[in-house]
Structure formats: structure tokens, C-alpha cells
Amino acid sequence: MSARATQLKGKILKKGNLPAHVAIIMDGNGRWAKKRGLPRTAGHKAGVKTVKRIVKAAGDLGISVLTLFTFSQENWKRPKSEVSAIMKLLYETTKRELNELDKNNVRLITTGRIEKFSPRRRQILEEAMERTKDNTGLILNLALNYGGRTEILDAVKRIARDVKTGKLSLDQLTEEKFSGYLYTKDLPDPDLLIRTSGEMRISNFLLWQTSYTELYVTDVLWPSFSAVDFYEAIWDYQNRERRFGRV
Ligand code: IPE
Ligand code: IPE
Ligand code: MG
């Protein structure tokens, strides 16, 4: 680790109020590649290296949950060749890194409609989840085929069904109960949302869960996002005042 990284990490750990759940919109792979005259897929490949780096950094800090926006529902609209390249990277990386993740006590989970993926490939993800399910370190949550509005609609449909069958009465429906119908039902809401590459938008990510999340946008493109950049985001968060509507 660089001297700067060690120093920042020390400051963060001393300060103590770590975000329990950090979510990241990993953006800018395409721009990173374009700047270098490379195909977009080269950017995604480089982005995988950043994932490894940040998973390690988050685990070392003692963060509980790291959610990575890996593939959105809207990303299916990209050229077929790019979609296949991203999927291939996802499965290959999951297979290749599984031992390392397991060794580092990481538990892998997914959020989103992975039932849309081909059975053969879904199996790779399911095996990885099964293998790491008892790990007690970082929860690495990959948002895959995820769309925030669809998630809310899915919740509403299930709620309507439960009301119809008498399992739930509408008067009992609280915010907490509603959260229990979301894909993320077992996770705390994100404390910090980082977006790389400077775009000031939420892109249909965790719409319900981010109502009081602290936002951090950096111009750094995802493939260039370093452990120090990650630490800087955490440090920034630690020095904010969260008010939740109070004074
Ligand atoms: C993020 O990088 C990766 C995915 C959305 C899968 P992009 O591919 O969106 O990169 P830009 O935004 O075109 O630079
Ligand atoms: C958001 O990035 C989705 C992921 C990071 C997986 P996009 O690059 O798809 O978002 P937009 O299209 O710029 O809003
Ligand atoms: Mg993008």
C-alpha cells in the first residue's frame, strides 16, 4: 500500500463511524477505454480489476455490505456484443475469484432478477453464493439485471397478493414491512452511495433504499478508481453530519 493509502486508512479506522453499507454505481468503463483508443470491452475488463481492489479494501476496513451496480435492467439495451462480453466477464470472474473470495471470508449475494439469466450461467452464481453463505466477513452484493422501479413494482404485486390471501392487512403495512418485500429485504439501507465518472444521476438504482443515503460523486473513471479514491469517499462520509430531517 502507498504511504497515502496507509495514512488515510489509519485515519478512517481511528475515526470509527464507518458506513455499514456502501453502494457503488461503477461507471465510466467505456470512457476509460475510449480515451485509450480501446474497445469498450477493454474498459469492462479493466473495471474487474477495480472490483477486486475495492472488495479487498472494503473487507479490510470492516465494512459490512458492499453493493456493486454491475448490470442494470436498462443495460440490455446496449449492443449485443457488449452485453455478451460483460456477461462473460461476470461468470469468468466469479469462477476465477471464488476461492479467493471464500478465503477472505466474503459472502456473495445478488440483488435483481437473476432468474432472467441462462440456467447454466445462473448456476455459477448460485454455486458461489452457496459456497460462501456461511462466511461472516464482507457481504458482497452484486446488483444484476437490477432496476429500482421494477423492484418496487414487484414488491407491490407481492403485497397485493398477500393482502388478497389475507396474509397481510393493509393497515399493518408500514415502511418497514414494505422494505421486507424488496429484493434487499435482509440488508440495511446504504449509508453511502458512490458514483464514479461524474454523472449526477441515480440511474434507477436502489430508489427506495437511498432515501437518506449520503451521495458521493467523483470524476474518476471506474477502471482508475483506486483504494485511495475509495478511502477518500469514506473519509468524506465520516465527516458529514447526517440529519434525517432533524436540526
Ligand atoms: C459502467 O461503465 C459499466 C456498466 C454499466 C456495465 P459504462 O460502460 O457505463 O461506461 P461509460 O459510461 O460508457 O463510460
Ligand atoms: C449505471 O450505469 C448502471 C451500472 C453501473 C451497472 P449506466 O452507464 O448504465 O447509466 P446511465 O445510462 O449513464 O444512466
Ligand atoms: Mg455509463
Side-chain angles (χ1 to χ4, degrees), residues 26 29 41 43-53 55 68 70 84-102 106 108 121 124-125 127-129 131-132 140 142 144 222:
M26 310 184 285
N29 292 351
T41 49
H44 297 313
K45 214 171 157 185
V48 171
K49 291 200 182 132
T50 306
V51 170
K52 279 192 68 175
R53 193 155 63 225
V55 167
L68 299 178
T70 306
S84 328
I86 293 172
M87 290 299 157
K88 197 161 169 241
L89 269 175
L90 169 67
Y91 300 117
E92 283 179 359
T93 308
T94 309
K95 271 201 277 191
R96 194 183 58 234
E97 298 300 326
L98 183 54
N99 280 335
E100 180 77 9
L101 286 175
D102 197 26
V106 174
L108 184 83
R121 299 193 139 165
I124 297 169
L125 291 169
E127 273 170 22
M129 289 191 264
R131 168 112 173 258
T132 60
L140 173 60
L142 300 183
L144 291 169
W222 180 250

Side-chain angles (χ1 to χ4, degrees), residues 64-227:
S64 306
V65 188
L66 178 69
T67 294
L68 299 178
F69 202 2
T70 306
F71 195 82
S72 76
Q73 202 184 298
E74 291 77 18
N75 287 148
W76 294 110
K77 295 176 198 156
R78 294 188 178 200
K80 238 183 163 164
S81 56
E82 183 174 343
V83 171
S84 328
I86 293 172
M87 290 299 157
K88 197 161 169 241
L89 269 175
L90 169 67
Y91 300 117
E92 283 179 359
T93 308
T94 309
K95 271 201 277 191
R96 194 183 58 234
E97 298 300 326
L98 183 54
N99 280 335
E100 180 77 9
L101 286 175
D102 197 26
K103 201 183 83 195
N104 290 333
N105 201 19
V106 174
R107 183 175 146 216
L108 184 83
I109 62 169
T110 65
T111 288
R113 289 182 158 182
I114 64 158
E115 62 275 13
K116 279 276 156 73
F117 295 169
S118 81
R120 187 170 60 88
R121 299 193 139 165
R122 207 172 64 214
Q123 200 190 342
I124 297 169
L125 291 169
E126 276 160 0
E127 273 170 22
M129 289 191 264
E130 177 61 28
R131 168 112 173 258
T132 60
K133 74 174 191 314
D134 295 323
N135 288 348
T136 53
L138 177 75
I139 295 176
L140 173 60
N141 178 28
L142 300 183
L144 291 169
N145 190 21
Y146 175 85
R149 285 190 169 185
T150 297
E151 178 186 34
I152 292 172
L153 261 184
D154 280 347
V156 170
K157 287 178 192 168
R158 288 182 47 223
I159 287 168
R161 227 173 285 142
D162 283 354
V163 169
K164 216 164 139 188
T165 59
K167 226 176 111 183
L168 176 77
S169 101
L170 267 192
D171 315 323
Q172 290 169 352
L173 187 59
T174 56
E175 289 186 7
E176 211 183 336
K177 276 245 165 71
F178 188 91
S179 298
Y181 281 88
L182 295 172
Y183 308 152
T184 54
K185 63 176 169 17
D186 301 319
L187 302 175
D189 288 340
D191 300 294
L192 170 65
L193 171 63
I194 300 170
R195 181 164 188 150
T196 57
S197 307
E199 239 66 70
M200 298 283 185
R201 57 176 170 259
I202 206 98
S203 300
N204 202 17
F205 191 42
L206 301 175
L207 297 180
W208 170 278
Q209 298 88 337
T210 51
S211 69
Y212 258 109
T213 300
E214 294 294 325
L215 308 177
Y216 183 92
V217 177
T218 168
D219 284 332
V220 178
L221 306 174
W222 180 250
S224 307
F225 191 70
S226 66

